[in-house]
Amino acid sequence: GAGVSQSPSNKVTEKGKDVELRCDPISGHTALYWYRQSLGQGLEFLIYFQGNSAPDKSGLPSDRFSAERTGGSVSTLTIQRTQQEDSAVYLCASSSRGRSYNEQFFGPGTRLTVL
Amino acid sequence: AQTVTQSQPEMSVQEAETVTLSCTYDTSENNYYLFWYKQPPSRQMILVIRQEAYKQQNATENRFSVNFQKAAKSFSLKISDSQLGDTAMYFCALGNNNDMRFGAGTRLTVKP
């Protein structure tokens, strides 16, 4: 079966532009996570969706960042008015349930470069 | 707050030898799960091994095993008979309820 997919794989944008990053989780997975990985850094939690519950947005670094998940499946992470410090790899993961003892399956990530 | 610390930013090992990656954590919870994830240069993160905190027996997956010391809050990963394909970033993670925390990672290079 298909794993978690993300698009685009690479995105180069100019400072001040908006970008949208897409994540297609594994079919049937109710939990979806977004992380940011800066060069040489660990994973920084951004946002978590579980079923129809309100998302946990506690990791979003500023109000320029937002995410939605339509129909409990595909998710889009939007960064408005991008800044150079937004340059990073954005990883999406899904799991079959929202409890953190379940394995998270990761996508290949989107490398965002803000010039 | 839960924290995960990996104190070794980079490590190297000769092919066929054994290497141990360190991880310490802090949590006030009694029930939690610990994970080691591998991220090869291709960026695809995959689960290597998982340990339930309530189990005393150390988890093992083929050449990968852990040394789980609950009292010391330590969770090290041992890779035996290292292979070139083991070259990757390794992340230790702590999961409890709906919170998952990752360490900063250890870059492991296996040398031929």
Side-chain angles (χ1 to χ4, degrees), chain B residues 17 20 32 38-39 51 54 58 60 81-82 86 94-95 99:
Chain B
E17 293 187 349
T20 299
Y32 51 89
K38 170 185 177 182
Q39 187 181 39
Q51 173 83 40
Y54 63 86
N58 289 324
T60 299
D81 186 26
S82 297
D86 295 334
L94 165 68
D99 188 23

Side-chain angles (χ1 to χ4, degrees), chain A residues 4 9-10 33 35 37 39-43 45 48 50 56 58 89 91 98-111, chain B residues 6 32-35 37 39 41-48 50 52 89 91 94-105 107:
Chain A
V4 177
S9 56
N10 288 283
Y33 306 77
Y35 297 92
Q37 185 178 25
L39 185 63
Q41 302 295 312
L43 273 68
F45 165 75
Y48 159 67
Q50 170 55 26
D56 176 1
S58 60
V89 174
L91 293 169
R99 299 299 297 274
S100 289
Y101 51 73
N102 284 302
E103 177 183 358
Q104 292 185 21
F105 293 82
F106 283 81
T110 293
R111 183 179 298 280
Chain B
Q6 292 180 252
Y32 51 89
Y33 291 76
L34 295 159
F35 307 82
Y37 280 88
Q39 187 181 39
S42 66
R43 295 203 312 246
Q44 192 85 41
M45 189 93 75
I46 55 175
L47 179 68
V48 174
R50 173 174 59 196
E52 292 90 340
M89 282 286 287
F91 292 95
L94 165 68
N96 176 56
N97 292 325
N98 292 321
D99 188 23
M100 179 79 90
R101 301 287 167 173
F102 287 82
R107 184 178 302 279

Side-chain angles (χ1 to χ4, degrees), chain A residues 55-90:
Chain A
D56 176 1
K57 304 178 182 180
S58 60
L60 295 179
S62 77
D63 59 7
R64 296 187 296 106
F65 288 73
S66 63
E68 62 178 22
R69 189 178 184 192
T70 55
S73 181
V74 172
S75 177
T76 301
L77 176 69
T78 301
I79 309 173
Q80 296 178 311
R81 305 181 301 283
T82 53
Q83 304 295 313
Q84 288 183 334
E85 59 263 29
D86 298 336
S87 296
V89 174
Y90 290 82

Side-chain angles (χ1 to χ4, degrees), chain A residues 11-16 82-84 86-87 112-115:
Chain A
K11 176 71 176 179
V12 180
T13 190
E14 294 179 349
K15 178 181 174 182
T82 53
Q83 304 295 313
Q84 288 183 334
D86 298 336
S87 296
L112 175 66
T113 303
V114 182
L115 302 177

Side-chain angles (χ1 to χ4, degrees), chain B residues 1 12 18 31 36-38 43 49 52-53 64 74 97 103 105 108:
Chain B
S12 64
T18 295
N31 294 320
W36 278 98
Y37 280 88
K38 170 185 177 182
R43 295 203 312 246
I49 198 165
E52 292 90 340
F64 299 87
S74 171
N97 292 325
L108 176 68

